[in-house]
């Protein structure tokens, strides 16, 4: 379970999160809110990319202040722009990157890379240069590179925003198939509707935390 | 743009990266010690055979190398007038051998393999407090960012042309730099998120235990 207790955070003068308290127990949780409302900041807390000024974030009891590395191993993170999260110039090298970091046995890495490429239908792109992939293929690679690590939780920060309709559907399909609990930041109601719980942020505060239907209504009201 | 690595399974591809880099280093050093047009012509021939064995795309490579190859003409002419044509030929052959050797190594070796070798070779630098993993990662970042930045530059130029701006170095470099910094920032987050950890290195004069 991911717990967020009494978290506040500021960037310089600007208070970005204000006293956020949440226990993320559901399997599929959505996060929605206006631009600048603190969604990405919240998401980055969950795998220790950011340590809060105040309060605590715990994943299966591990505090992000005590052991960031353990936290990051448990929580995978997919960013909005696939260009900025692909680290290596060749597809299979990029998938192997995280495995090498996690000190997987050398002989085991190619096997895992193969399996994940097959699974996400990227097999034919194995030796392709990453900068030549289409936007959809890039995001698929980014997802595969995170999922190959078998994290216990997956946080996704607007993973479909930059994609066209077709690729959105493909990526959405992959996200639906993720077995681990997920936290999905998105602006799209039709993605939110199929989740178990939706949290609405407004100016750094949680203003709703409910079933998708009720939360979306509250969000629309707040935006009016 | 030709991507750096051309995938393949030729014997040249399968040769360990360390061996290839060693041959490249030793070969380029030897090139300037060993004299003789015939020797260099023989080397060039051998390299062209390797090129063929590795199944590299001739045309694209020659296209990429064209500026460098054109430069050989004035070099040769300079020697003809300043010294003699034999020396000119030798110099041109040397450069060609070096060029093709380097091209073969970069086109048949994965970046991550190359970096791994460099990291091993740089291990002694740890004593001086330099972290080989960080240097290696920096190199791969630069190579990874080049195509992205080229595309970015193209987009910025187009946007400026659309607004009727003339070509202007500052108007290109400033947004490009901002973009590069943002990209580097995001990339370092993405690397952290995937557990990248170059480890800490302390120079020998600070000893163990001090940060
Ligand atoms: N590294 C940073 N330094 C300074 N300010 C930041 C930083 N990151 C975010 N902010 C500010 O914090 C506020 C919340 O940003 P955040 O990215 O969390 O919003 P968001 O809800 O994800 O917005 P969007 O929908 O645009 O992605 C914004 O005003 C932003 O400018
Ligand atoms: Mg955001």
């Amino acid at each position: 379970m991911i717990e967020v207790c009494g978290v506040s955070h500021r960037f310089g003068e600007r208070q970005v999160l204000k006293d956020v308290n949440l226990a993320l127990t559901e399997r599929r949780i959505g996060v929605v809110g206006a631009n600048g409302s603190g969604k990405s900041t919240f998401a980055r807390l969950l795998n220790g990319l950011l340590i809060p000024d105040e309060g605590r974030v715990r994943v299966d009891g591990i505090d992000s202040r005590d052991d960031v590395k353990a936290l990051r191993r448990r929580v995978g993170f997919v960013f909005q722009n696939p260009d900025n999260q692909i680290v290596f110039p060749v597809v299979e090298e990029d998938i192997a990157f995280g495995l090498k970091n996690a000190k997987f046995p050398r002989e085991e890495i190619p096997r895992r890379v193969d399996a994940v490429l097959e699974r996400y239908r990227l097999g034919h792109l194995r030796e392709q240069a990453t900068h030549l992939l289409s936007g959809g293929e890039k995001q698929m690679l980014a997802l595969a590179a995170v999922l190959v690590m078998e994290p216990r939780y997956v946080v996704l920060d607007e993973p479909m925003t930059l994609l066209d309709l077709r690729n959105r559907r493909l990526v959405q399909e992959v996200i639906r198939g993720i077995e681990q609990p997920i936290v999905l930041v998105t602006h799209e109601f039709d993605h939110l509707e199929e989740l178990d719980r939706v949290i609405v942020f407004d100016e750094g505060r949680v203003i709703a935390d409910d079933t998708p239907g009720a939360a979306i209504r509250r969000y629309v009201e707040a935006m009016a | 743009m030709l991507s750096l690595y051309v995938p393949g399974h030729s014997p040249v591809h399968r040769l360990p990266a360390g061996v290839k880099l060693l041959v490249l280093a030793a070969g380029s050093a030897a090139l300037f010690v060993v004299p003789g047009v015939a020797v260099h012509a023989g080397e060039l021939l051998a390299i062209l055979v390797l090129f063929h064995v590795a199944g590299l795309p001739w045309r694209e490579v020659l296209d990429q190398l064209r500026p460098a190859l054109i430069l050989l003409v004035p070099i040769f002419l300079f020697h003809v007038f300043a010294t003699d044509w034999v020396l000119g030929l030798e110099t041109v052959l040397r450069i060609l051998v070096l060029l093709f050797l380097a091209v073969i190594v970069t086109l048949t070796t994965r970046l991550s393999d190359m970096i791994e070798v460099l990291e091993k070779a740089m291990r002694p630098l740890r004593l001086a407090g330099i972290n080989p993993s960080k240097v290696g990662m920096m190199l791969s970042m630069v190579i990874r960012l080049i195509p992205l930045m080229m595309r970015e530059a193209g987009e910025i130029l187009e946007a400026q042309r659309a607004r009727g701006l003339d070509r202007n170095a500052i108007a290109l470099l400033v947004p490009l730099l901002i973009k590069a910094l943002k990209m580097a920032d995001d990339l370092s987050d993405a690397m952290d998120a995937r557990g990248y950890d170059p480890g800490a290195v302390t120079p020998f004069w600070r000893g163990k235990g001090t940060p």
Side-chain angles (χ1 to χ4, degrees), chain A residues 87-88 97 101, chain B residues 115 119 122 131-144 191 196 198:
Chain A
V87 180
F88 274 95
F97 172 67
N101 289 337
Chain B
I115 301 267
E119 279 175 15
M122 286 187 295
N131 190 339
S133 320
K134 280 193 188 165
V135 179
M137 187 44 83
M138 240 157 63
L139 283 174
S140 39
M141 280 302 97
V142 169
I143 291 173
R144 160 88 185 101
M191 280 157 58
Y196 177 63

Side-chain angles (χ1 to χ4, degrees), chain A residues 11-12 14-17 33-42 44 50 80 157-158 185 187 201, chain B residues 185:
Chain A
F11 288 112
R14 204 189 142 99
Q15 182 94 37
V16 180
L17 289 176
N35 291 134
S37 57
K39 304 180 298 293
S40 296
T41 309
F42 171 71
R44 289 154 51 86
L50 200 72
Q80 179 178 40
D157 189 359
E158 300 194 40
V185 179
H187 286 289
F201 276 84
Chain B
D185 212 33

Side-chain angles (χ1 to χ4, degrees), chain A:
Chain A
M1 185 180 56
I2 303 184
E3 298 164 277
V4 178
C5 311
V7 163
S8 296
H9 196 76
R10 50 172 67 234
F11 288 112
E13 288 294 283
R14 204 189 142 99
Q15 182 94 37
V16 180
L17 289 176
K18 293 166 199 154
D19 194 31
V20 178
N21 287 285
L22 295 163
L24 306 178
T25 45
E26 286 74 4
R27 203 168 79 80
R28 332 221 111 219
I29 298 177
V31 174
V32 70
N35 291 134
S37 57
K39 304 180 298 293
S40 296
T41 309
F42 171 71
R44 289 154 51 86
L45 290 171
L46 304 182
N47 83 331
L49 277 173
L50 200 72
I51 307 292
D53 290 342
E54 270 171 61
R56 312 198 153 268
V57 174
R58 285 197 207 92
V59 177
D60 299 335
I62 303 168
D63 192 311
S64 67
R65 246 181 265 274
D66 296 337
D67 192 350
V68 190
K69 278 184 206 158
L71 214 77
R72 287 191 187 145
R73 268 201 297 282
R74 262 158 220 262
V75 185
F77 199 106
V78 180
F79 297 79
Q80 179 178 40
N81 187 347
D83 264 334
N84 299 1
Q85 57 188 317
I86 295 171
V87 180
F88 274 95
V90 176
V91 169
E92 61 177 328
E93 281 181 306
D94 192 66
I95 303 262
F97 172 67
L99 296 172
K100 283 184 187 162
N101 289 337
K103 306 268 185 301
F104 272 82
R106 264 193 104 85
E107 328 71 70
E108 206 190 311
I109 292 178
R111 232 197 52 237
R112 284 197 175 235
V113 171
D114 275 343
V116 85
L117 286 175
E118 263 338 291
R119 173 148 190 207
Y120 297 105
R121 288 187 233 130
L122 294 166
H124 60 296
L125 299 173
R126 204 193 156 104
E127 300 195 312
Q128 178 77 259
T130 48
H131 75 274
L132 299 177
L133 301 178
S134 75
E137 289 165 345
K138 280 182 189 166
Q139 194 57 290
M140 215 56 122
L141 167 61
L143 267 163
V146 168
L147 295 173
V148 73
M149 308 291 297
E150 300 179 354
R152 302 241 180 118
Y153 305 87
V154 183
V155 177
L156 308 106
D157 189 359
E158 300 194 40
M160 288 164 276
T161 305
L162 298 176
L163 304 181
D164 64 24
L165 198 58
R166 211 179 96 81
N167 283 305
R168 254 170 224 230
R169 294 228 175 93
L170 282 174
V171 169
Q172 193 181 1
E173 207 46 57
V174 170
I175 294 173
R176 277 199 196 110
I178 297 176
E179 290 125 28
Q180 294 94 322
I182 63 165
V183 176
L184 173 65
V185 179
T186 177
H187 286 289
E188 293 190 52
F189 293 170
D190 62 323
H191 296 156
L192 292 169
E193 268 155 11
E194 58 188 55
L195 303 175
D196 303 323
R197 169 183 175 189
V198 171
I199 298 164
V200 184
F201 276 84
D202 186 37
E203 298 190 357
R205 279 182 211 281
V206 174
I207 59 162
D209 180 1
D210 217 321
T211 57
I216 292 171
R217 271 196 299 282
R218 181 75 189 82
Y219 173 54
V220 174
E221 271 169 36
M223 290 298 103

